[in-house]
Structures are given as C-alpha cells and as structure tokens.
Amino acid sequence: MSEFQFFPLIDRIIEALKSKNSISIFGFYGSAFSLFIWELSRRITPIFYITNKKNIERYGDEITELECSTNIINENNPFFESAKVILIDEDFLERKIGVKENVELIKGETIDLQELLLRLAASGLDREEIVEEEGEYAIRGGVIDVYPKGAEPVRIELDGDLVYSIRKFDPQTQRSIEVINRYTVSLAVPDSFWTVKSIPPNSGLIIAEKKLNLNLPEIIISPEADFCFRLSLPRKYFGDLGALKHDINHSSYNYKFLLKSIIAERLNKVIGFIETFYLPLKEGFVDEKRKIIFLTESEIFGTLPQKKVGYKGLFIDDLKGLKIDDYVVHSDYGIGQFKGLTLLEIDGKKVECLRIDYAEGDKVYLPVNKINRLERYIGATEHKPRLSRLGSDFWLRTKNRVKKAAERIAIELLNIYAVRKNTPGFAFSSDSMEMAELEASFPYEETEDQLKAIEDVKRDMESPFPQDRLICGDVGFGKTEIALRAAFKAALDGKQTIFLCPTTLLAFQHYRTFKKRLENFPVRVEMVSRFKSVSELKEIIKEFNEGKVDIVIGTHRLLQFDVVPRDLGLLIVDEEQRFGVIQKERIKRLKPNIDVLYLSATPIPRTLYMALTGIKDISNIYTPPAGRKEIITKIIYFDEEEIKRAIEYEIARNGQVFFVHNSIQTIGKVRERLLNILPDLKICVIHGRMNERVSEERILEFIEGRYDLLLATAIVESGLDMPRVNTIIVDQAHRFGLSDLHQLRGRVGRSDVQAYAYFIVPRQRLTPEAEKRLAALTSYTSLGSGFRLALRDMEIRGIGNLLGKEQSGFVNAIGYHHYVKILNRAVSEIKGREIVEEPIISINLDAYFPSEYIQSSYERTALYKRLLEVDSEFELQKLKEEIVDRFGQYPEPVEGLFLLARLRLEAITIGATEIKQKGNEILFYHKGEVVKTIIMSGNTIIDR
C-alpha cells in the first residue's frame, strides 16, 4: 500500500478534529475515496459514513475488499453490527435498527445449539432442507449449514455439543472447499434496538455530506473545504492499447497499474513491461501532486469487472431426485407413479424401497439397488401419461416398436454426420500475434467454460473438415466474444464471415460490439439492416461480394440471392430457432463446405436433442462472467405501492426499467395506470404492430436515456444489451412459459449492478402448471441456472416442440429418458460399438440411507440414483466424500450402498449382466454362466 500513502493531509485532518469538532474536505475522484476511508479506519474506528444509496452501492463492496470490515445499514439490512466502517443509508436515519452481536464458533469447543438456532431464526434466516442462497440455514443430524447475508456459507459438524469441524462450502455444488478453525457470525439479539441518534459519544467518527451534530467528530464533504486533495480522473482508453502505449512513453507522469496478474501478463505482451500490483478498486485516479496515474481495468477497457466467480459445473441433484406423485418409467414394468420410500424387511435385511403405483391399483416395491432401471418420465406434451398395466405385454410391444423406429432414425442421423465429416473444408491457420493482441484487449477475464468453447471453435476451424458447432449459454455469458474471435480468425486468413441475426436491433448490437473491438485492426465490418439507406445497402452488398468487406452482420436480408460473397469461410447464426422455415432453407444453401457456428441463449430445450443425436458438436457455457450478480426475483400482485417503489429505486440509482405487458389491446391502459402512480415518469411504448422503423427509433432513444421506462410486449425477450436497465417488471407472468420468463429475466443484470425481476400474478388461484413455472423461476435464480430451468421446463410443458411428430409419439409412449437410451443404443449398434448392459443386482443386505441421517426423501432418491450410476471407483470415492461432507459420518447401512455400487462397477468391467447372492458368495453371470465369484463377510469383500 506504500504507493497510496499520498494522504499527508490525513494527519493534519486528525489533528484538526482534536481542536474543532467539524472539518470539511473535498477533491476525491475515482476510487481514491475508498482508500481515504480505509486509511482513516486504520487510525479511528468505527467510522460512520452516512450517505445515499448510490454511494453505499459504489463504495461498500470496495471498502470491504480492501480488507476493512463493513456493515451496511438500510431497509434490506436493518441490523447494527460491529465493524470498522458502518455505511448508513441517510433515508434510514430515524428508523429502528436491530442489534446483532458476534457469535464465535471454535473447533473443539462446545456451543449451546438451541440458543444458536433461536438466534439464526431471530436474524431472519429461513430454515431449508438445502442451503443454496444467502439468508438460509439447514440442519441434517449433527451437521448445520449456515449462509448469513453478506457472509460466507459454512458447514458446522457437531459431536453432541462439541464443534467437531468447521468448513466453508459451495452452495452450488454443496461440497466443502476449505477447513477453518473458527467462524464468527453476527446474529440478532431479540428485543434490542437502537437509532442512529443514539450512537454513543466519544466513539468513532462521522463522514457525511451535511452537518448532523451527532455528538461525534464530523468530516463534511463540501466544495468549501478546509482540506482539498489534488486528485483528478485519468483518461479512458476503451481498449485502444496503442494510445495507452504512446501515453506511457511520452507522458511526464508515472503510470502504475492496479491489475490482476492474468490481465497484466496480457498487457506486458502487447505494450511492454508495466509496473503492476493489484488492489480491488473499480476506478483509477491521478495524483497531481506526485504526478502518478493509477489505472484499473475500467480505464483501460471501459469496464468495471468484479471479483465474484459463479457456478462451475452441474448442480448437485441434476434433477435425479423424485417427489411424491412424479411419473416414472421402469424398463421392465413401464410407466408408473412414485408414491414415496418405504423401509421393508426382506429375508431378515432392511431394504428401502420405492413404491411405484400402476394401473388398476397394482403396486411395485422397487428395492433401491434396482433404481438404475428407473427414470423420471418426461413426455412430449404436458398431459399426464397413461399408467401401464402389470402383466400385459403392451409395454414390451411398445418398446420393440420404438426400437425399430429408433434404428431407422439412427441410420439417417449417422448418414448426415458422415456426409459432414467427409466433406472437405478449409483448414484455418494457427493463432497469430494479432489474435493474441485482440484477446489481450478483451475487457473481462474469460471463464473456464468460455475458454474451453473458444478452444473448441479454434480446433474445429483449424481442422480440414467443416465446423458445425453450437455454443450454448445463458444470456450475457460471453457467446458474442467467441463469435467475434472466430470471425477475426477467418479474416486473418482472408476469409469472409456472415453473422446472421433474427432482429435488426440484435444485428445493431453485434455490429456495435464488433466495430469497437476490431477498430484497431485491418478488418472491415459492415452492417446490413434497415438503419442503412437503399443506396448504402446496395454498396455494402456489392463490396462484400467483391471481397472488400471481411465481416457483414445483418438480418435475413443477407439470405437474399443477391448476396454472393467472394470467399465465404464462416457463417454465424444467432438464435437459429427464431428464423422461419424459408430462412432456414436458405441458410442450408450457404453452408455446404464452410464453417458454421450457432449461438443459443437457451442452452438445453431447443438443442438437447441435437446434442444427444450427434448432429452438431456442442459447447456449453455454464459459468457467468466475473462480477455478475444473481438477479433478485420476486412474485408480486399488482400492488401500486410496491411497483412505485421498485421504479423509483431504479431511477434514483440512474437506471432504467423494462415493464412487459404482453397485450397490445390493453398496453395503453397500463401506461395510464403507471402515470397515475408516477406522473413524471418518462415512458416509451413499443409493440409488434408498430411500424418497425418507429419502434427501432424509440428503442434507440431509450438507450440514449431519453426515457425512464420501456413499456413493451414480449418483443424485448431478445434485444439489445442495455446495462442501465436493471429492473424488469413482467405483468401477467403466469401466462408465459418458463423459458420465456427466464429469457425476460435475462434482459437485466447484464452489468455488475444488482438487478431485480418482479413477476406480477393475479390474486386468484393459478393453474398447477403456472404455479410450477413460477416456483421454479424463484428457486433457480443462480447464475447459469438456465440449464436446470430448461430441464424443469421440459418436465412441465413436455418436449414435443423439439422433435418431429413421429419422435414425439415415441417419447409420449415410453418417456424421454428411455427413448434417448434406446436411440443411443441403436446408434452404438450401427457404429459397431460394444453395448454395455446395465447389470441386474439381486443381493440381500442392509443397504439404505436411514431417514434420520438424510431426512429429505428427494435427496435420498437422488443419491441412490447417483450411487448406482457411477462410472468409476474414483467417481464413487468422490461421491462418498461428498456424502460424508454434507451429512456427516454415515451409519452401517450406508456402507452397504457403497458395496452395491462397487459390485455394479465390477460387473460392468467384466461384462457381467447379473449379480446374485448365494450365502456368503457373490456370483457374476454373463449369458447364464458364472464368470466370477467373490466371497463376502458382512459388507466386506474377503476374497476375489
């Protein structure tokens, strides 16, 4: 921190406060104010910074990341906690604020469990089965998971009243990530309140914009200052590294860079050695007295990246668990309905069984060791399936009919795949220095998923076969940057690119991004859209056909027959599902031997089928960009006060609002109603029946900030990236599909600002399907949850829109999962691959999860499914570690489950199709013959 000890005035300020109770300061720019507070907090504590919401949002995280403990007090967090810096919303001054006191948990010491639970509840934490979000806690036997607001989630394992271990854990994977010896958390003390005016005298310092006379020394921020800091704002370069290099070499100022090492390494390659160290600051500043310029990523690239890293990988349950009344498919018995778990005694052994109800009142009690023959039913429509009748051969005949049809489909798919793989393409060159420079100018740190997708695309382009790859990821997860690098790679080899978009506005967004990112390179980018005059369009198409334009971005106008590029090498299609049949046929005309890259914002429902059948190669991006915050999602009624507060809050922080009302007939009445609530609100209205030119002009005016609120139909579902819009309100939300609601919610939260989504529903009872959709939406707010939402959407609505008519019929008959298994098997057989049969396990031993060990039946079924599907001993060991981590040391019956999983792996390894028990012998069978015998003693293998 020595570089920042440019505050010699601080000592003088502190001396001045001793002689008079109030002094004034001025002259801070960028993040220098955060450093000023941090420096003060090393000498005086606590500091009470009383200011507006915008400043609290601006400086709160930054001060915290400077390793200075903070407490923010506002309407969302009305608790006073001990901290070095306490930021108080000035609008909240006179309200009562609950007191919290620290509770310290130390490994090896005892705690009062009941008192801890009382204080967790008093602090407003919700008790849940699984802790996934801030403000939740859970108890599973002797394991307590706690995730207080504004703190890290921890897992406390108890042995009686003794704290056996304390571990930080990841709420997304539910796995522990770090062992710690102590954990301090602030929890509420019931019936204890204070007000700002009761701050004790002679304890700390006030910083405010006006004099408050609160019996403490005060520093007032005012232009009429006793002390003025000689600071200013530095130049912003917006990725122009050439200009930055020039300034460094010719300026009389000394440049210092506050960058993460990965960014610094990139810059070193492009502009030479730079003096770098890292502080978590959002904005740089200039120290005019010492002639030092401090630059962050914000000034270099024009962004404000944050530290937070989101979810990496799939979620813990992967939708494997079962709830009461879920429809299921058993490979032998057909479609039934799950009715819960039952512990039965069979031949003297306790076995947990799944009760499955079938037609005519028949029931099957399926031991958990046979759960790998069961799948959840997902149909091609949202209608309930017809239950199978036990003892009938109808199920067997249905499976055989589907198998024959799947074989025909598999042959067609493999022919398509073979044609693609045998068509000669263009092998692009390996990356050059120009590519390294472009990548160095990327204003964000790539996520692991994004880097993998980039490598997938480059590998495809450098191969001699045409690329046909689909990039799937949630809204704003970095698909455009992947497309940009691919187009740049094509241009470096003299090949042209067409970037096809479903809407003019989306084309304009991509054009603006490409133009800005490539402005320092000899690459010509043009746009074909209604924003261009007829003569301009004619000239652009002519020059593109002549090879003078490298990258052209536009709508379906690019599919007309007068567009004949001289040397097309790459076609990029954004949201292919939004194009009509005629447009899709013309896309096929363009791509016999060129590389094709598809981008999709909804990763699974529209693309899962293509992925499983191998028509396309797919790269999934699950991880959000650094700095992205989860969108706070609320289901509300049309409450005028709540809507007013939401809009006023967004406008107060210099933001804008989307209000979606999907009825053109009544959208005018909604506008009047909003103006009755907020008469000064500047509202822009657009809908699908408007003249396209008018609607586009209005949206551009909205982007320019001429309006506070955009009132629109669902046409905003896919549109421009608008970082200032961080509140969306959706009227009549129950009428939308789950994927549509997820897409609409994705319109906000595109920057590092906290975003909000309000879904308005009627007060009368909703349909069961609407309730499920909205419940799923509020449950799955995690970044990257589009994957899980899409699967949930398939369950609620069916997947008929994904498949042809014939395939939809097969899916309805036997369920989606079972259909995919049969189809994949058919593909493997035609390719000549060895078919690995799932072994039938008939072993009688105590093997189950006791309900007192794992209370949730949903969790138990999910874990049974995962245990009986592991692919390796390594995976089994990792799952065992996860179970111990999440639920504590397991009782004896759980060891039996691990044994079952090991025996199944052994059977698959040697090709056995059935495992039976005879006394203390475990017999492995293949085609009716014993191929291996294992001797057991209890749950232990004693001889192989």
Side-chain angles (χ1 to χ4, degrees), residues 14 189 214 254 271 393 461 503 505 633 723 757 803 838 851 857:
I14 292 173
V189 178
L214 293 177
N254 183 20
I271 63 177
D393 66 349
M461 293 182 73
T503 67
L505 288 169
T633 305
L803 313 174
E838 185 63 39
S851 58
S857 61

Side-chain angles (χ1 to χ4, degrees), residues 53-275:
K53 291 182 177 70
K54 184 177 179 181
N55 282 342
I56 289 175
E57 191 171 281
R58 167 65 184 84
Y59 296 114
D61 290 344
E62 203 166 60
I63 295 169
T64 301
E65 291 193 15
L66 285 167
E67 298 181 0
C68 179
S69 61
T70 59
N71 173 210
I72 296 175
I73 295 180
N74 54 28
E75 59 188 8
N76 296 321
N77 181 40
F79 292 107
F80 173 73
E81 301 171 18
S82 176
K84 287 184 177 181
V85 179
I86 298 165
L87 299 94
I88 304 174
D89 182 352
E90 60 189 6
D91 294 334
F92 205 61
L93 280 175
E94 302 300 327
R95 303 188 188 182
K96 285 189 173 182
I97 300 166
V99 175
K100 285 186 178 180
E101 289 181 357
N102 286 347
V103 174
E104 191 167 41
L105 302 169
I106 302 172
K107 180 180 177 180
E109 296 192 1
T110 58
I111 64 167
D112 186 331
L113 179 59
Q114 291 306 314
E115 182 185 349
L116 175 64
L117 297 180
L118 282 172
R119 294 185 67 173
L120 287 170
S123 298
L125 276 72
D126 297 322
R127 182 169 177 175
E128 303 288 348
E129 287 187 351
I130 303 172
V131 170
E132 294 182 296
E133 307 286 348
E134 287 189 3
E136 296 178 346
Y137 72 101
I139 307 169
R140 297 183 300 276
V143 177
I144 304 172
D145 286 352
V146 182
Y147 194 175
K149 290 183 179 178
E152 291 185 287
V154 293
R155 177 163 291 152
I156 304 142
E157 189 171 354
L158 302 177
D159 183 1
D161 292 332
L162 185 75
V163 178
Y164 177 76
S165 74
I166 308 172
R167 306 184 295 272
K168 296 179 183 178
F169 74 96
D170 183 343
Q172 300 290 4
T173 65
Q174 291 294 301
R175 294 300 308 275
S176 295
I177 53 178
E178 183 184 347
V179 176
I180 56 178
N181 290 323
R182 63 176 63 215
Y183 179 72
T184 303
V185 59
S186 294
L187 296 177
V189 178
D191 303 321
S192 177
F193 294 94
W194 76 297
T195 65
V196 174
K197 287 193 173 180
S198 66
I199 294 175
N202 304 317
S203 175
L205 170 71
I206 300 287
I207 300 178
E209 280 84 18
K210 58 185 177 182
K211 194 169 178 60
L212 297 170
N213 299 316
L214 293 177
N215 301 319
L216 278 180
E218 294 183 333
I219 294 178
I220 310 303
I221 301 169
S222 169
E224 299 176 359
D226 299 319
F227 300 91
C228 191
F229 291 84
R230 293 180 58 194
L231 305 176
S232 63
L233 285 174
R235 172 184 175 181
K236 287 184 178 286
Y237 292 90
F238 298 104
D240 188 346
L241 302 183
L244 174 59
K245 185 175 182 179
H246 177 274
D247 287 356
I248 292 171
N249 293 333
H250 296 87
S251 174
S252 61
Y253 284 72
N254 183 20
Y255 281 74
K256 294 180 184 290
F257 293 82
L258 318 181
L259 301 171
K260 294 179 182 177
S261 57
I262 187 171
I263 306 295
E265 287 169 11
R266 289 178 181 171
L267 287 178
N268 278 327
K269 290 178 183 178
V270 178
I271 63 177
F273 175 76
I274 55 176
E275 189 177 350

Side-chain angles (χ1 to χ4, degrees), residues 88 431 460 506 547 619 753 760 935:
I88 304 174
D431 284 356
D460 287 351
L506 204 52
S619 298
V753 176
I760 301 174
I935 308 300

Side-chain angles (χ1 to χ4, degrees), residues 6-14 26 36 227-230:
F6 56 88
F7 295 132
L9 289 179
I10 287 183
D11 292 330
R12 291 169 55 195
I13 289 170
I14 292 173
F26 198 66
F36 171 71
F227 300 91
C228 191
F229 291 84
R230 293 180 58 194

